Amino acid sequence: MKKIVLVLLFCSAVSFAQQDAQFTQYMHNTININPAYAGSRGVMSIFGLYRTQWVGLDGAPETGTVSLNTPVNNSNVGLGFSLINDKIGPTNETNFSVDFSYSIPTSATAKLSFGIKGSGNVFNLDPNKLQMEDQGDPQFSDFKNKFSPNVGAGIYYHSDKGYVGLSVPNFIETNRYDDNETAIFKEQINYYLIAGYVFNLDRYEMIKFKPAVLAKMVEGSPLQVDASANFMFNDKFVAGVSYRWSAALSAMAGFQVTKSMYVGYAYDRETTKLNNYNSGSHEIFLRFEFLKNYSRITSPRFF
């Protein structure tokens, strides 16, 4: 098989450990990586996010996601649905998933939740965006709406102050492209560990501090660790920073517009040589929650 730009693009994607879509504000988007999160907020929650990465770099990642998760009546069951569209260079992937969780109360304020995720991925490759030596290569005619199913699982322990979770969203490895039976681009298993805790910094609980961490492990790629620190003021305004180990530094801000609506924004700046070729990454999200049927919710959740 002749050497083409496709190989470089795919190897680059793997080297940046972006087997799954990457989000700076992962602490607000847990349902995408851990099905046990479904229903944990105690209300029906609708979430939408758009991320444009490495602005100014041709073919840079561009991601959009929408999700919904909710508890089922007054039971211990939670349900969720999410849709992610991820574009990188000539590739376009759409992943949709359905989540089921079951929670066991461990105390008056804490629960241990177990979740399973069923998902499907639709993969597309546009050969017109490739610089191939052989433009008529028939091997690239079979990359339109290529479907692959998957299954994942997770556990999530959470209280009114903190959380910790472990998950594997996709257990099945999928080869997107083979060259002489060697996988050039392989969707590998992603392992996630998340944790966070909320500290009250004053007696009136007007200022809250929440450190959080996400660790992601993919075979053949360096361990990715995201550490963040956010402050919430008067249950309204959130400001913080995040650091992706040896990759990027981020600034984050959010505002609780109403008890039901929250909007957030993040800006990333690379700490690698890639910083010389782009003007940063932007991420914005909106979350809306249906509180009227859940009168026990008296203040916004910090996670």
Side-chain angles (χ1 to χ4, degrees):
M1 179 66 195
K2 298 177 180 179
K3 300 299 181 182
I4 57 175
V5 175
L6 175 66
V7 175
L8 296 177
L9 287 169
F10 282 176
C11 289
S12 175
V14 172
S15 68
F16 280 96
Q18 285 193 219
Q19 294 295 313
D20 287 346
Q22 175 177 281
F23 302 103
T24 296
Q25 298 171 111
Y26 57 87
M27 66 291 294
H28 300 289
N29 196 29
T30 307
I31 190 67
N32 283 158
I33 61 173
N34 194 331
Y37 185 81
S40 66
R41 292 185 62 82
V43 299
M44 178 181 288
S45 180
I46 299 175
F47 182 91
L49 179 148
Y50 175 74
R51 175 180 176 85
T52 177
Q53 189 166 328
W54 304 333
V55 174
L57 189 65
D58 291 342
E62 191 175 342
T63 306
T65 179
V66 292
S67 66
L68 181 151
N69 76 94
T70 182
V72 178
N73 297 324
N74 293 318
S75 70
N76 293 323
V77 173
L79 297 176
F81 173 81
S82 60
L83 179 70
I84 303 175
N85 179 254
D86 200 24
K87 299 176 183 177
I88 305 178
T91 67
N92 188 326
E93 290 189 76
T94 300
N95 186 278
F96 54 91
S97 60
V98 176
D99 305 290
F100 173 88
S101 72
Y102 186 82
S103 298
I104 300 174
T106 58
S107 71
T109 60
K111 293 182 179 180
L112 179 62
S113 302
F114 302 88
I116 56 174
K117 178 186 290 286
S119 63
N121 182 280
V122 180
F123 179 82
N124 284 280
L125 169 67
D126 185 357
N128 296 320
K129 295 182 179 180
L130 297 173
Q131 298 176 3
M132 297 185 291
E133 294 183 12
D134 183 3
Q135 291 292 336
D137 194 330
Q139 296 194 55
F140 297 99
S141 61
D142 189 30
F143 286 93
K144 185 176 182 180
N145 296 326
K146 200 165 186 179
F147 176 79
S148 57
N150 222 309
V151 63
I155 56 175
Y156 184 66
Y157 176 80
H158 54 105
S159 68
D160 58 341
K161 291 292 185 181
Y163 63 90
V164 60
L166 180 66
S167 61
V168 179
N170 300 306
F171 279 115
I172 303 173
E173 295 185 337
T174 304
N175 294 340
R176 296 287 185 237
Y177 173 68
D178 289 335
D179 183 10
N180 297 326
E181 299 182 354
T182 299
I184 300 297
F185 181 65
K186 185 175 184 178
E187 184 180 7
Q188 296 179 313
I189 297 175
N190 289 244
Y191 302 87
Y192 290 92
L193 173 67
I194 58 173
Y197 194 83
V198 179
F199 297 91
N200 290 316
L201 299 187
D202 68 315
R203 60 182 296 185
Y204 302 106
E205 300 187 7
M206 301 294 286
I207 304 176
K208 299 176 183 177
F209 171 59
K210 189 192 75 172
V213 65
L214 177 149
K216 174 182 174 182
M217 184 174 68
V218 185
E219 183 181 356
S221 297
L223 176 67
Q224 178 181 308
V225 178
D226 287 41
S228 64
N230 279 289
F231 292 87
M232 176 181 274
F233 303 93
N234 197 29
D235 287 333
K236 288 289 186 181
F237 179 71
V238 175
V241 294
S242 178
Y243 178 65
R244 184 169 301 119
W245 190 263
S246 298
L249 183 65
S250 309
M252 299 177 289
F255 185 69
Q256 192 77 44
V257 182
T258 67
K259 280 191 175 182
S260 298
M261 185 181 299
Y262 182 86
V263 61
Y265 170 78
Y267 174 76
D268 303 353
R269 196 65 183 173
E270 291 292 314
T271 57
T272 67
K273 292 182 179 179
L274 189 60
N275 179 57
N276 299 323
Y277 304 97
N278 71 92
S279 57
S281 305
H282 302 270
E283 192 174 283
I284 187 170
F285 76 84
L286 175 67
R287 182 178 66 215
F288 185 84
E289 298 181 319
F290 295 87
L291 301 179
K292 61 181 180 180
N293 295 325
Y294 300 89
S295 58
R296 67 180 183 275
I297 305 297
T298 58
S299 62
R301 278 275 302 275
F302 205 175
F303 57 88

